[in-house]
Amino acid sequence: MHVDLVSEAQHDSLTELLAELHAFYNDGALVSRQLVREHLLGNLLAPGSPHQLVVASTDARTVVGLAAITWVFSLVDFAPDQRKHCQLKELYVKSDHRSAGAGRALMAWVAARAIAHGCHRIDWPVKATNARGIAFYEGLGAFRVTERLSYRLLEPALGELAAFTAPA
């Protein structure tokens, strides 16, 4: 198992993995490979993207797992050991490669990279119904942050809020 930042030779394989990831989060819904590839190249890997995409691969072209990370600076913790952390946006391993070490290899790579970048923690969300993922994370020594909740604002409430103008 090899883990590193995604290479150009892996874009096709990563496109397939991202399509599987989409189905995982969207009850098996299919997505156009062209749309996924456009998003990968035009957004996720674009020069201004905040993400670094890390892949686990079995060879130079075949991606079996993905981690997406960003570096985040705290607005409330100023101490050197608290001000910067690694945000894991996503960790996903193809269904036919789970329990074979790819997830652990990705997390180990991310942990080493986080330490090298001066981070003292990694934070990430996990779907509440993902019991297997939760067990995996806890097996690594991670713990649930009980004082945090996740919120989402969608249309039409998003548009309504954006249109709101407070009286002068």
Side-chain angles (χ1 to χ4, degrees), residues 128-168:
T129 58
N130 186 355
R132 188 172 180 180
I134 292 167
F136 169 74
Y137 295 135
E138 289 177 356
L140 296 175
F143 60 92
R144 183 176 181 178
V145 180
T146 56
E147 66 271 13
R148 296 262 180 194
L149 297 174
S150 179
Y151 282 86
R152 181 171 291 155
L153 186 63
L154 298 172
E155 290 289 1
L158 176 66
E160 291 167 6
L161 181 59
F164 176 77
T165 304

Side-chain angles (χ1 to χ4, degrees), residues 69-89 107 110-124 141-143 145 147-148:
I69 59 174
T70 60
W71 310 116
V72 179
F73 290 95
S74 177
L75 296 170
V76 297
D77 289 322
F78 309 112
D81 66 338
Q82 297 294 318
R83 65 175 71 149
K84 185 178 183 184
H85 73 272
C86 177
Q87 182 69 39
L88 177 67
K89 172 61 179 140
M107 288 299 289
V110 169
R113 186 75 159 215
I115 290 169
H117 278 262
C119 298
H120 294 268
R121 77 178 207 233
I122 302 171
D123 288 331
W124 64 91
F143 60 92
V145 180
E147 66 271 13
R148 296 262 180 194

